[in-house]
Amino acid sequence: MKKIYLPLALAATLALGACSSDNVVDNGGSNPIDLSKGGFVKMSLNLPTDNNRGSRATLDDGLDNEYGIKNAYLVLFEGKDEHNKENEATFKGAYELKNSDFSNFEAVGDDPNHVTITKRIAFANGTKPQSGRKLFALVVLNNNGLFTVDATKHELTFASNVTPGEYATTKNFVNFSKAIASTSANGTTPFASNVATNGIFMTNAPLSTQPGGATDPGAIKTLADVTDNIYTTEAEAKSKPAAEIYVERAVAKVTVHSGNGTLEANKDKAASKISYKLYNWAVDNTNKKSYIVRQYDNNWNKLYSDKAADANKYRFVWSSPVNPNATNDNKLYRTAFAQDPEYATTTANADNYNRIASNASMSTAFGNSTAFGDEHPQYCNENTFQVTAQNQDQTTRVVLGVQMSEPGKDTYGADLYTINGNKEVVYTKATLAERLKNILLNEPAVKTWIKTHTTYSFDIAFDNTTAGATTITKATFKDNTTAAGAPDEKLESFTPEQLNKALPNIVRYKGGVAYYAVRIKHFGDSDTPWNVAGQGVKAGVNSLIYPSATGTNIDWFLGRYGVVRNNWYDISVNKIQTLGDATIPAFTNDPDDVLENYISVSINVLSWSKHTQDAEL
C-alpha cells in the first residue's frame, strides 16, 4: 500500500468557531443540531489508490509524492433534499484543515490511504439551512495556491490564474466546479506546479450510483451528503458511520519507457540494419485551461458501442464499485471521461494549447526529458473533445526523439540523411558524398580533371548545422598526390544549380535523431474498437474514419483519444518500422487514426489510472 504523507495525523478532530444560535440543521430526522454550539461532521476521505478497483482500467500506486497531502480544505454547500440537485447547492463556507486540527489519531484499520476526519463546524454567516435542505461537502487537497480561505468569514477567494466565471455572481456548486485554472507561462499545469513541495491538486470525483460496463449506468454525484453525519458531540460522531468522500487528482500523468530495437533501411544494400534507442521525449499539445472539478455529462451513460464486447458496452462507467462493502443502494462506481473547457470547440485554436514549434529543438521544449520509466512522469491538464473534433491538432500527444545508428553499425551520434523524402534509404555524410561523387563523375569537367588526377579524395559541405532540409554548398575533388609544399590541386567549381540538381531535397537528421508523434488514446481499442475492414473505414474526414450508428449509440468513438484527470498513460515503444521526421512533427487537422502507421506503441491506462498503447511508426 502507498504511504500517505500528511503534515498531520491520519485522522483527527477539527475545530471551527461557531457564530450564531440560528444555525440549525435537521440531521436525518433526529433532534436538530444547534451549530452555534458546534456540530461534529464525520467524513471518511478515500484517496485515489489501488484499493478502489474497477474493471475499466488497471490501478497502480504511482509515486509516494503523488499521495502527499500538503494542505486540506472543506467546502460546504447547501441544497435541496431532492435527487440530482447538487449543482444548485449554494456555497455556505470554506474551512482550512490545519495541522493542529489533526491532533487526535483515530485508527482506521490497516489502510493508510483512508483518512477519517471528525470536524466541528458552524456557519460563519449566521444563517440557518432551510427546512428540507441538505449539507454537501467538497474536499480540496493541495490547493497549489489556486485560492485562499478567510479563517473568520470562511469565504473562498480564487487566485489571479483562476477565472471564476459565473461563480463570481452566483455562488453555487456547478459554477464553483467550472472555475477555470490556467497554466503558467512555461506550460506547467497549475494543479501540479511542484509535486514534491505542493502535492497534486485533488477534489471529489464524480461517481455513478449504478454500474456501467454491460449495463446502463445510473445518476452521477460529486458532492458528499453529510447531513446525516453531523452529531451533537464528538464522542457520538466517532461512534457513528462517516460520510464517504472519494477524491481524484486534477491532472493526467504520462510516462514513457525506454526501449531499443532495429529497423530495416537501405534494403538494396548489405548494411541494411539500423539500431535505434529512445533519446528524449515531451508531452505536447496540452490544454492551457482546466476546470477546478471534473465535469461529467450524465448523457454519456446512455451512449454505448455495439462494436465493443458486452462487458465494455457502456464504457463511461466502471462495473466494479469503489466501495464494495457498501449496501447495493449505496455503492458507487468510477466514471471514465470528462469535458474540458474547450470540449465544444470543433476547430483547433493553437492559442489554446501548449505546443512545441515544429521547427524548434526538442531540447528547448517544456517537459523535454531524457529520463524514462515510472519514476519520471510528466503531468498535464485533461484534454477531451467530441468525435467531430477528434483530430491531430486537438489531441494531446507525446513527441518521442529516437536516435538511430549508422546503417549496418551499432554506433550512435552521426548525422543521417534522406533524399527526396525516401525514408527507405538512409545515408551518412560519407555515403551521401559517395552518391554525389558518382553523379558528378559524369560531368565533362570532372572527367577532364580526373585524367590528370588519378588519386583523389572527395568531400562535401552543407549550408547549415540544424536539423531538417539542407543543401550541399560545396563539393571538392582533391588530388592526393600533390607534392609536399605545393598548392592543393582541387576541383570545386560546381554551381549550386548543379549540386541541387544532382541531389535535391536532402533532409538532415541531426545526431541521427528522428521524431515521432504518438497521440494518446484514452478508451483505445478495447472500448472503442476501430475496425478498418468491418466498419468500412476509409481516408477522409471524421465521418469516414469514425463511422457512427444512429440513435442512442451514435458516439461509438467518443473518448477514443484524449487525456482525462487521474489517469496515467504509460507508453512503451514496441516496434519502429521506418524513419520518422527530422524535426518536431507538424500539426494537421487530419483524424487521429491514420490508415498507415510507422511506429507501434503500447499505451497502458491506469486509474491512478495507467493507460498502455501500441503504435507502429
Side-chain angles (χ1 to χ4, degrees), residues 242-253:
E244 296 286 341
I245 299 177
Y246 295 86
V247 298
E248 64 183 5
R249 302 171 187 86
V251 294
K253 170 181 172 179

Side-chain angles (χ1 to χ4, degrees), residues 301-316:
N301 290 354
K302 301 294 182 181
L303 299 179
Y304 66 89
S305 171
D306 59 8
K307 299 297 182 182
D310 287 344
N312 298 329
K313 189 174 183 179
Y314 293 91
R315 64 186 178 278
F316 292 93

Side-chain angles (χ1 to χ4, degrees), residues 400-463:
L400 299 176
V402 181
Q403 192 169 42
M404 307 289 176
S405 72
E406 295 184 51
K409 299 181 180 180
D410 57 4
T411 55
Y412 293 91
D415 292 346
L416 300 177
Y417 304 87
T418 60
I419 301 173
N420 296 337
N422 181 9
K423 296 180 180 180
E424 302 248 334
V425 181
V426 180
Y427 298 88
T428 63
K429 181 182 178 182
T431 58
L432 189 67
E434 183 69 16
R435 174 166 175 175
L436 178 60
K437 182 192 74 173
N438 291 332
I439 294 173
L440 294 179
L441 286 175
N442 294 315
E443 293 285 331
V446 176
K447 290 181 179 180
T448 300
W449 187 86
I450 287 178
K451 288 179 181 179
T452 57
H453 304 81
T454 55
T455 303
Y456 61 87
S457 59
F458 181 77
D459 195 16
I460 56 178
F462 295 93
D463 63 348

Side-chain angles (χ1 to χ4, degrees), residues 305-357:
S305 171
D306 59 8
K307 299 297 182 182
D310 287 344
N312 298 329
K313 189 174 183 179
Y314 293 91
R315 64 186 178 278
F316 292 93
V317 175
W318 291 18
S319 60
S320 298
V322 297
N323 52 347
N325 296 325
T327 62
N328 288 335
D329 290 341
N330 293 311
K331 287 182 179 177
L332 298 170
Y333 303 82
R334 285 184 182 271
T335 53
F337 202 51
Q339 285 188 355
D340 73 6
E342 309 297 334
Y343 179 81
T345 303
T346 56
T347 302
N349 182 347
D351 292 339
N352 295 333
Y353 302 95
N354 300 296
R355 286 182 173 177
I356 308 171

Side-chain angles (χ1 to χ4, degrees), residues 52-184:
N52 302 327
R53 293 190 177 275
S55 64
R56 182 90 21 231
T58 305
L59 289 143
D60 198 288
D61 271 348
L63 304 177
D64 285 350
N65 62 16
E66 294 169 345
Y67 295 81
I69 299 178
K70 310 300 181 179
N71 50 66
Y73 296 84
L74 173 65
V75 186
L76 293 176
F77 295 86
E78 177 192 340
K80 294 179 181 179
D81 186 11
E82 297 178 23
H83 179 64
N84 205 27
K85 289 291 185 179
E86 67 175 25
N87 278 346
E88 301 172 12
T90 56
F91 175 81
K92 293 300 292 184
Y95 309 88
E96 182 177 3
L97 312 183
K98 298 182 179 180
N99 292 13
S100 58
D101 294 329
F102 288 80
S103 57
N104 299 326
F105 179 76
E106 178 179 331
V108 289
D110 60 356
D111 186 353
N113 303 317
H114 188 89
V115 181
T116 299
I117 301 170
T118 306
K119 181 174 182 57
R120 188 181 179 213
I121 64 170
F123 290 136
N125 58 14
T127 60
K128 67 178 180 180
Q130 300 176 30
S131 177
R133 307 277 282 186
K134 285 185 172 290
L135 284 180
F136 298 99
L138 178 82
V139 169
V140 180
L141 305 179
N142 307 323
N143 76 339
N144 275 259
L146 293 176
F147 60 81
T148 57
V149 168
D150 186 293
T152 302
K153 298 179 180 179
H154 301 298
E155 295 174 350
L156 184 148
T157 303
F158 285 117
S160 59
N161 60 337
V162 178
T163 303
E166 295 183 19
Y167 182 74
T169 55
T170 306
K171 297 185 182 302
N172 58 22
F173 172 64
V174 67
N175 291 339
F176 176 90
S177 71
K178 288 185 177 180
I180 295 175
S182 299
T183 60
S184 61

Side-chain angles (χ1 to χ4, degrees), residues 264-314:
E264 291 285 342
N266 308 335
K267 296 179 181 178
D268 57 339
K269 305 286 185 180
S272 63
K273 297 287 187 181
I274 289 181
S275 298
Y276 66 81
K277 62 181 180 180
L278 291 190
Y279 182 72
N280 57 359
W281 68 285
V283 181
D284 191 22
N285 211 40
T286 58
N287 207 330
K288 288 185 177 181
K289 299 178 180 179
S290 188
Y291 290 122
I292 289 290
V293 180
R294 180 158 62 99
Q295 302 297 304
Y296 185 87
D297 188 340
N298 210 29
N299 292 321
W300 292 335
N301 290 354
K302 301 294 182 181
L303 299 179
Y304 66 89
S305 171
D306 59 8
K307 299 297 182 182
D310 287 344
N312 298 329
K313 189 174 183 179
Y314 293 91

Side-chain angles (χ1 to χ4, degrees), residues 436 440 443 471-473 493-504:
L436 178 60
L440 294 179
E443 293 285 331
T471 302
I472 295 176
T473 57
S493 58
F494 303 101
T495 67
E497 290 77 16
Q498 280 180 295
L499 298 177
N500 187 56
K501 182 179 179 181
L503 288 183

